[in-house]
Amino acid sequence: MKTPSKRIRVCHIVTRLAVRGVPRQVLDIAEGLDPARFDVEVLTGHSEPDEGDLWEEACERGIRVTRIESLCRPVRLSSDVRALYQIYRHLRAHPCDLVHTHIAKAGLLGRLAARFAGIPRVVHTYHGIPNEWVGRGTSARFFRAVERSISTQTDAIVAVSRAVQELVQAIPIGRSTSWHVIYNGIDRSFVDAEPAERQATQLLVVGSLTREKGCDVLLHAMPQIISHWPSVELLFLGDGPLKKQLEALACQLGIADHVRFLGLVADVRPWLRTCTILVAPSRSEGLGMAVIEAMAMGCPVVASRTGGLTEVVSDGETGYLVDVGHVEGLVDRIANLLQDPDQRAHFGAAGRARAYTHFAADRSIAQLEDVYTALIEKPILR
């Protein structure tokens, strides 16, 4: 493929830089794109109080970031209109060759602003299905209709898993020829991490404390697990709106002494290196970066059979998959691994190999660079 004679100017737009999977992926992409070929900027709004913010980390990594003051997660007409105008003004003042948007709010406002500003190429990544689209109510139908409309003006659509692509296309959204599946990639520091001695009975959950992560399901499974392994410990790395409810549930179930909520941590690698099992009891999941990172560090996993997790975990080979919300299934699979160190070692080794071959960041970045380059070289038809 012919390399452009000048650097392609790319502007990523993401709703907020919360300490969560999608914002981290946006920063990894911005940093990972070949600086000899791409000039990259990130536009972002404000995180919510319990989410943390990656702004300082982005600056420390040398990523050019600009704050869109009115851009935030909640749907608020007045602030959304202001955010649209602020993005438009920025794109007019700092024209680029391609805008790449992420997450529903930034995806809508960013793509509209890009078209108003005359940006020639627009890309959007679906990291999952927004809650606002789910259901048969008037609001959900409205949001799906808006997304269908804006998707016809999107030059390339990226899904982080085949599962996400199938869900979005079923709505239906986007032209079939505009779709690309590009798995999120993990930093080499996860793949190259040296193996460490693991705890015998430590379960780890990494992610935001929200309903879709299914933390309550795992808590309901814990009494049975504790009855057989009294020394077992469950650690939650992350924060979110359900923290107090989950703490109360742990007390109600009589397992509070076995559960710790550690909040947001700057680096999950030390925890992934030593925990016994990474558990991902999600109700829905676009891909499952925490699971990929755990596998890359040789940690066996037990995860829900949902979304992209079915593409990440090879059931019975790199970990176990359990039906969504199935408490007994969680108990059975976690118990199986706690009592079988050889099986844990097998899953850990197989998981490392799979993470390296399927989810390395350089592979994902190369695929995205090809999408960008092909779009720039393609004649503009509209």
Side-chain angles (χ1 to χ4, degrees):
M1 184 174 290
K2 182 181 177 181
T3 302
S5 58
K6 64 176 184 178
R7 290 201 298 171
I8 297 173
R9 296 164 298 176
V10 179
C11 180
H12 284 268
I13 306 177
V14 61
T15 307
R16 62 210 194 277
L17 288 180
V19 184
R20 301 185 66 174
V22 175
R24 285 198 180 279
Q25 282 300 309
V26 173
L27 295 185
D28 288 346
I29 292 169
E31 185 179 37
L33 289 169
D34 183 357
R37 298 172 57 200
F38 300 93
D39 179 16
V40 186
E41 179 182 23
V42 176
L43 304 187
T44 186
H46 287 278
S47 299
E48 296 179 43
D50 59 357
E51 295 182 315
D53 196 280
L54 296 171
W55 179 272
E56 290 186 5
E57 178 183 321
C59 295
E60 291 171 358
R61 293 168 67 176
I63 299 168
R64 193 164 80 251
V65 288
T66 298
R67 187 82 77 182
I68 302 300
E69 293 296 333
S70 297
L71 184 58
C72 58
R73 182 181 181 278
V75 177
R76 297 172 184 154
L77 182 59
S78 59
S79 60
D80 292 345
V81 171
R82 288 196 301 272
L84 175 62
Y85 180 63
Q86 290 165 5
I87 298 170
Y88 163 79
R89 282 189 60 187
H90 183 88
L91 294 177
R92 290 288 293 177
H94 305 85
C96 60
D97 302 301
L98 185 150
V99 160
H100 187 161
T101 60
H102 308 261
I103 308 181
K105 174 69 76 68
L108 174 59
L109 300 181
R111 282 180 284 175
L112 286 174
R115 290 310 185 206
F116 294 156
I119 304 302
R121 300 299 186 195
V122 176
V123 179
H124 179 68
T125 291
Y126 291 102
H127 297 268
I129 296 292
N131 294 331
E132 292 83 359
W133 295 8
V134 178
R136 299 182 179 181
T138 302
S139 176
R141 291 199 302 270
F142 170 76
F143 281 117
R144 292 196 296 266
V146 170
E147 189 65 25
R148 277 195 293 268
S149 176
I150 194 67
S151 70
T152 63
Q153 298 299 310
T154 305
D155 299 289
I157 299 174
V158 177
V160 297
S161 65
R162 292 189 299 274
V164 168
Q165 179 186 15
E166 291 169 1
L167 285 171
V168 178
Q169 282 188 313
I171 289 178
I173 285 174
R175 302 184 298 269
S176 59
T177 56
S178 63
W179 278 91
H180 306 266
V181 174
I182 301 177
Y183 293 127
N184 291 333
I186 50 170
D187 187 270
R188 290 293 308 214
S189 63
F190 287 91
V191 177
D192 295 339
E194 291 293 328
E197 184 176 352
R198 295 192 173 275
Q199 301 288 334
T201 54
Q202 187 182 82
L203 310 180
L204 184 67
V205 176
V206 179
S208 56
L209 303 182
T210 54
R211 185 181 184 279
E212 62 265 24
K213 295 300 181 180
C215 300
D216 57 312
V217 181
L218 179 55
L219 287 177
H220 280 290
M222 286 301 293
Q224 294 185 62
I225 296 171
I226 293 168
S227 68
H228 290 91
W229 285 273
S231 63
V232 75
E233 181 181 44
L234 172 60
L235 308 181
F236 288 97
L237 300 188
D239 206 340
L242 297 186
K243 181 178 180 180
K244 290 185 178 179
Q245 294 181 36
L246 294 170
E247 289 175 332
L249 178 59
C251 291
Q252 177 186 333
L253 294 170
I255 59 172
D257 290 343
H258 296 264
V259 180
R260 286 198 286 158
F261 294 86
L262 302 178
L264 300 172
V265 298
D267 188 356
V268 300
R269 288 170 294 184
W271 303 94
L272 292 176
R273 287 187 73 202
T274 59
C275 72
T276 316
I277 305 168
L278 185 285
V279 187
S282 305
R283 290 184 170 89
S284 64
E285 197 73 66
L287 183 61
M289 286 305 299
V291 173
I292 297 172
E293 291 168 353
M295 287 167 47
M297 299 194 75
C299 179
V301 300
V302 175
S304 295
R305 187 177 283 105
T306 185
L309 289 174
T310 62
E311 298 164 49
V312 172
V313 180
S314 179
D315 189 26
E317 182 60 31
T318 64
Y320 286 130
L321 292 174
V322 177
D323 289 343
V324 173
H326 193 197
V327 171
E328 293 298 329
L330 277 176
V331 172
D332 177 69
R333 291 313 194 184
I334 291 172
N336 182 287
L337 285 178
L338 286 175
Q339 68 187 6
D340 191 344
D342 290 338
Q343 185 68 70
R344 295 201 303 269
H346 171 76
F347 282 173
R352 281 177 67 86
R354 182 168 176 79
Y356 178 79
T357 57
H358 287 75
F359 305 104
D362 51 0
R363 174 179 176 175
S364 303
I365 292 293
Q367 291 174 321
L368 193 58
E369 288 179 343
D370 287 345
V371 171
Y372 289 169
T373 304
L375 284 178
I376 294 300
E377 294 182 346
K378 186 177 179 179
I380 300 174
L381 300 179
R382 56 178 181 276

